[in-house]
Amino acid sequence: MEESEQELLALLASDLHGNFLRVVEHYQHRLYTFALRLTRSFQDAEDIVQEALVGAYVSLENYTPERIRALKLQAWLYRVVFNVYSHSRRNTQLHLVPLATLEEHPELNPADREEEQPELLCTTWEQQRELEDLVARLPERYRVAITCYYFEQLSYREIAELLAQPMGTVKSTISRGLRLLRASIDTQEQEREEQSWSQRTPRHKNP
């Protein structure tokens, strides 16, 4: 039976060295998927996750048990992965954020996921892989925000912390990215319809 996040935090607080492998086993697949969506490279994603997990362990060694218990573990691990990814792209426009930011700023209240649910995209585009391919073609600021929100199910607050941006900026970026994505979907569907029509239309041979 899988441990809950709170159970994992309690285990880490009591014995970090003895229980960190449980965290790796619990989160490594979703962290790798997240890194893969960011990098679009299997090798880069693997390297980033390995470095992130090492960095997470080193950071936790310097945390008190009370601070460990107060963490939002999954969001914190996503941020560690994102920091490593950002560091590997030195020319990126995105800023790194300290690992301690999330738990030290309670004034950023969670936002309800009131609109733009992932189902809106899934019902428009049947194949998940094709949807991910279209997201991968978006400019990085939109690609990262949409990846975090739709695929990783992070809240607006968590994404704001991740990107060191105001929550309003995050919401605006996701909304604009969604419009770009829908435009790409419409273009793809139109191209498919035109191709299908051309295949059905008989070709007349010249006499």
Side-chain angles (χ1 to χ4, degrees), residues 61-93:
E61 283 187 311
N62 297 307
Y63 282 20
T64 64
E66 293 74 19
R67 188 176 181 183
I68 291 176
R69 291 190 184 94
L71 281 173
K72 295 184 177 178
L73 187 57
Q74 179 173 309
W76 184 79
L77 288 171
Y78 273 119
R79 191 165 66 256
V80 178
V81 170
F82 183 76
N83 283 348
V84 175
Y85 162 74
S86 296
H87 184 69
S88 70
R89 294 174 55 84
R90 295 181 183 277
N91 61 342
T92 183
Q93 297 295 321

Side-chain angles (χ1 to χ4, degrees), residues 3-16 19 22-23 65 68-71 73:
E3 293 92 348
S4 68
E5 181 168 296
Q6 291 305 313
E7 289 172 335
L8 287 171
L9 288 169
L11 290 170
L12 291 176
S14 64
D15 182 4
L16 173 63
N19 291 301
R22 291 174 181 258
V23 173
I68 291 176
R69 291 190 184 94
L71 281 173
L73 187 57

